[in-house]
Amino acid sequence: MRFRAPLFALLLVAGSLALPLAAHAAIPFLGPIIPEDVNRCAAGWGMVMIVINNIISFLITIAIIFVAPLMIAWSGFLFVVNPVNAAGKEQAKKILTSTVVGIVIALAGWLIVDAIMAVLYNPATVGQTWSQLVTSGGAKLCLPLAGSLKQVPGLPSVTIPGVASKFTFDPGIDAQVPTASGPLATLLSCMVDKVPAGVGRISSISDSLIIKGQKTFAQCATGGCQHSANSCHYGGRSCIGSSYAVDFGDEQNMSVLTAAAQACGGATLNEGTHLHVSVGAASGCGCGI
């Protein structure tokens, strides 16, 4: 009993520490280790950081889900088969204690690295993983290649016939027109002939941070911009480089715009303050509506 009471206390303390640490470190993580972006471009420093981060998360997951239970089970077996053998019981105790302490140290080390990097690198990003801290400072997911599609400024203009004359734009949103993909431009060109004059106030195409040069499509696609990660506004998972979605801000005309968008092959979602229209899923971009 002198062994079991301290052991129970150790497991209780270790468990209370390990669970929030594991949640913070996005554990369990079972892949993929290599981001899908690597299939579309040469990996930059930001992508290298993500891969290293994923490897560490995977190793911690293996330790927690597979190694730790096996070691705990082995120590329990030794304890059961050595009820009167002091040496066997001591060995079981050492195995169990080392396993629990090792897991807690691994997870605590993860948090310590996060805290140090947040303070030294960017205090505003406390709570993010260290790969996210690095990429939030401008580390590129992809290496710039000669002749490749450049992000705004410099993105080739997309012509959307009739849109500028019939649809209106919220302040600054017209600057996002060049980020529209070909399929999105086709959708908008189709919609302008199906709505009354004065209907159709575009409130977003891609993201203002992309237009200002503060973020790339690839960076916004991982989160931290106006829309959620892998949004069709950033090309989803498979079409990063252009927007495949548009938001209309005229709440009073949502039914008319919904009918026009659906007639032109677009998917719609009424988000209360605006109507989200997308051709991302239809274009195979790996995003929802």
Side-chain angles (χ1 to χ4, degrees):
M1 294 302 294
R2 288 181 298 175
F3 167 68
R4 293 181 182 177
L7 178 59
F8 177 78
L10 175 62
L11 289 174
L12 183 62
V13 173
S16 63
L17 291 173
L19 288 177
L21 291 173
H24 173 83
I27 304 298
F29 175 83
L30 297 175
I33 292 177
I34 307 298
E36 294 181 359
D37 300 275
V38 78
N39 297 321
R40 296 187 290 273
C41 63
W45 179 243
M47 194 176 297
V48 172
M49 290 295 98
I50 291 176
V51 171
I52 294 175
N53 177 78
N54 289 345
I55 291 174
I56 295 175
S57 298
F58 179 72
L59 292 177
I60 295 178
T61 298
I62 293 298
I64 293 177
I65 295 180
F66 299 104
V67 178
L70 288 175
M71 297 304 294
I72 293 173
W74 176 245
S75 67
F77 172 77
L78 291 177
F79 185 72
V80 170
V81 299
N82 294 284
V84 295
N85 188 330
K89 292 172 62 177
E90 185 64 25
Q91 182 184 11
K93 179 179 178 181
K94 287 181 178 179
I95 292 175
L96 181 57
T97 303
S98 298
T99 300
V100 174
V101 171
I103 293 299
V104 172
I105 290 177
L107 293 173
W110 182 276
L111 270 187
I112 291 171
V113 171
D114 273 356
I116 293 175
M117 290 195 66
V119 172
L120 297 180
Y121 189 78
N122 187 356
T125 56
V126 172
Q128 297 183 356
T129 62
W130 62 275
S131 64
Q132 291 173 323
L133 292 175
V134 173
T135 54
S136 69
K140 305 296 183 182
L141 290 178
C142 299
L143 291 176
L145 301 177
S148 64
L149 181 65
K150 296 180 180 179
Q151 304 297 335
V152 176
L155 189 71
S157 297
V158 173
T159 301
I160 308 180
V163 171
S165 60
K166 292 190 177 181
F167 287 159
T168 59
F169 299 88
D170 282 357
I173 303 302
D174 56 334
Q176 297 181 19
V177 171
T179 69
S181 64
L184 181 59
T186 300
L187 172 73
L188 292 174
S189 297
C190 172
M191 289 181 62
V192 294
D193 295 326
K194 298 183 182 299
V195 298
V199 173
R201 176 173 61 83
I202 295 177
S203 57
S204 181
I205 294 178
S206 55
D207 198 288
S208 59
L209 293 179
I210 296 174
I211 301 302
K212 296 175 181 177
Q214 298 176 0
K215 294 281 188 178
T216 65
F217 276 92
Q219 289 173 325
C220 285
T222 62
C225 295
Q226 180 181 359
H227 307 285
S228 61
N230 299 319
S231 169
C232 291
H233 284 282
Y234 311 129
R237 294 180 176 85
S238 308
C239 306
I240 297 176
S242 296
S243 171
Y244 285 74
V246 62
D247 291 338
F248 289 95
D250 21 0
E251 303 172 36
Q252 70 279 13
N253 297 312
M254 285 193 181
S255 58
V256 175
L257 290 167
T258 297
Q262 293 176 352
C264 293
T268 61
L269 176 64
N270 187 333
E271 299 193 75
T273 59
H274 63 274
L275 176 69
H276 177 81
V277 181
S278 170
V279 290
S283 301
C285 295
C287 55
I289 294 179

